[in-house]
Amino acid sequence: MIGILGGSGLYEIDGIKIIEERKVHTPFGEPSDAYIIADYSGKKAVFLPRHGKGHKYPPHLINYRANIWGFRKLGVDKILSVSAVGGINPLLKAGDFVLSDQFLDFTKVRPVTFYEGMYTIRDEEDTKDDLVREYMTEDRVVHIDVTEPFCPVMRSTLRDILEEERIRYHFRGTYAATEGPRLETSAEIKALSILGADVVGMTLVPEIVLARELGMHFASINVVTNLAAGISGERLTSDEVIQMMREKNEEIKKVILRFIDKLPERFNCSCEEVLKGAAI
Ligand code: HPA
C-alpha cells in the first residue's frame, strides 16, 4: 500500500473516498497525526500530514520514527513524500517541481535509525516476518546502503505523470537537508551550492533513511517555493512558502491521484533488498 507524506489537506481530493481515520501508537511515540486511509478507484492509500494538524511540529521536532513506523503498522511499503524546498541551482524557478535523486545531510539533533544495537526499541506487536523484525529482535547494528536512496520505479512513474500533465519539473536534484527551523545564511547556501546541492529543505532526512531501513520504496516531489537565501536578494518569509504551496496544491493533488492509479504492482528495483547483509 502507498503512504503519502505531505501537508494537511492533501487528502481532500475529489474522487478520493476516505475510509477511516486511524490513530496509531508506536513504541517511538506518537505520529504527527491520525492516518487517513482512503480509496481511489479501488486502490488504497494512507495519508499523513508530517507537521500534524495546524502545523504544530517544527521540522527538527517531527517524530519521524513514529511516522514511518506507523506506516509499517498499517501495511505501507511505498512512500511518496511531498515537500517545499528552496531553489539553489540557478536553473530552478519558484513553482518548479524537482524529483530529487540524492541528498546531503546537514541535520543535527534527530533520531536517525531504528537499529540502535543494545539500545534498540522494540515493538512487541510487530508481527511481520522479515529482516526488520529479526534485526530489531536481535539488537543488531545495521548500516544500510544509500548509494541511490530513492526508488527508481517511483521516480520514473512520477516523471511520466509530470510529462503528461505538462508540469515544469526537473528529473534530478541533490537535496541538502538542513536542521532548521531557521532558514540558511547566504554563505551557507553558497557553500551548499559549491557542494553540489540543487535544493534545500528541512524534512527529507531522516524520513527517507528510516523508510529505507524498513525496506520501503521512497520518492519525493519537491516544490520550489522560493529561491534560497541570498539568491534573489530579498528577505525570505514563510508566507511566500505557504502561498506557493497553495498555488501548486491542485497540481500536487492531480499528480498524487494519478500516481496512486498508475503505480505498477510489481517493482523491478532493489529497494526491498537493502537489509540483506546490512547487519553486523
Ligand atoms: N530553506 C530550507 N527549507 C525550505 C526553504 C528554504 O529556503 N524553502 C522551503 N523549505
Side-chain angles (χ1 to χ4, degrees):
M1 188 161 47
I2 304 171
I4 318 271
L5 265 167
S8 45
L10 276 185
Y11 39 83
E12 288 153 14
I13 309 179
D14 285 346
I16 282 260
K17 207 171 82 211
I18 295 179
I19 302 171
E20 191 190 345
E21 208 175 310
R22 176 101 58 95
K23 273 226 163 264
V24 177
H25 305 285
T26 86
F28 305 98
E30 299 306 303
S32 299
D33 211 329
Y35 293 81
I36 307 284
I37 304 174
D39 178 285
Y40 177 63
S41 66
K43 295 194 177 154
K44 266 182 158 187
V46 185
F47 292 80
L48 181 70
R50 69 164 67 73
H51 294 280
K53 264 194 202 90
H55 210 102
K56 59 185 169 195
Y57 300 108
H60 66 299
L61 296 178
I62 290 171
N63 192 337
Y64 294 96
R65 289 200 299 192
N67 287 353
I68 303 294
W69 194 260
F71 273 133
R72 173 178 167 91
K73 290 188 94 135
L74 294 172
V76 165
D77 59 352
K78 306 164 189 91
I79 295 180
L80 175 61
S81 140
V82 181
S83 66
V85 293
I88 298 178
N89 187 316
L91 295 174
L92 296 175
K93 290 190 200 160
D96 285 1
F97 285 35
V98 180
L99 303 179
S100 295
D101 65 332
Q102 284 290 328
F103 67 76
L104 296 166
D105 180 13
F106 296 98
T107 63
K108 297 171 191 163
V109 301
R110 311 167 182 205
V112 291
T113 182
F114 289 110
Y115 307 102
E116 299 195 291
M118 62 178 287
Y119 305 108
T120 297
I121 298 168
R122 292 204 207 121
D123 187 347
E124 303 302 338
E125 291 173 7
D126 187 36
T127 50
K128 233 179 144 192
D129 184 20
D130 61 3
L131 282 175
V132 173
R133 187 153 72 103
E134 183 180 319
Y135 291 167
M136 290 179 82
T137 309
E138 294 175 358
D139 290 345
R140 304 280 288 277
V141 169
V142 177
H143 303 285
I144 53 152
D145 172 81
V146 282
T147 308
E148 295 294 337
F150 293 85
C151 174
V153 178
M154 291 178 77
R155 292 186 71 251
S156 66
T157 305
L158 285 170
R159 171 167 62 184
D160 293 347
I161 294 167
L162 291 166
E163 285 285 340
E164 286 160 21
E165 295 295 332
R166 298 174 180 278
I167 293 171
R168 196 181 134 94
Y169 77 100
H170 306 264
F171 185 54
R172 295 190 187 284
T174 295
Y175 178 122
T178 53
E179 184 62 22
R182 68 167 175 84
L183 292 159
E184 299 74 32
T185 64
S186 47
E188 284 170 331
I189 293 301
K190 197 167 152 197
L192 291 174
S193 169
I194 292 165
L195 290 175
D198 299 299
V199 295
V200 58
M202 301 176 193
T203 56
L204 180 71
V205 184
E207 211 163 74
I208 185 172
V209 177
L210 295 166
R212 201 162 162 79
E213 278 197 345
L214 301 185
M216 293 177 181
H217 307 264
F218 190 103
S220 184
I221 303 175
N222 302 129
V223 181
V224 179
T225 51
N226 57 283
L227 299 185
I231 294 181
S232 75
E234 305 282 324
R235 183 173 76 89
L236 303 182
T237 63
S238 294
D239 290 350
E240 65 187 306
V241 172
I242 292 162
Q243 173 65 23
M244 182 56 81
M245 285 311 266
R246 273 208 195 112
E247 273 174 38
K248 292 286 151 183
N249 204 25
E250 286 311 309
E251 280 177 359
I252 295 168
K253 286 178 175 184
K254 201 180 283 173
V255 172
I256 290 174
L257 275 195
R258 298 223 34 218
F259 186 77
I260 294 171
D261 199 33
K262 209 176 155 83
L263 206 61
E265 274 304 313
R266 298 210 140 265
F267 278 34
N268 59 352
C269 57
S270 56
C271 301
E272 291 170 32
E273 310 290 305
V274 77
L275 286 169
K276 285 190 188 151
I280 305 273

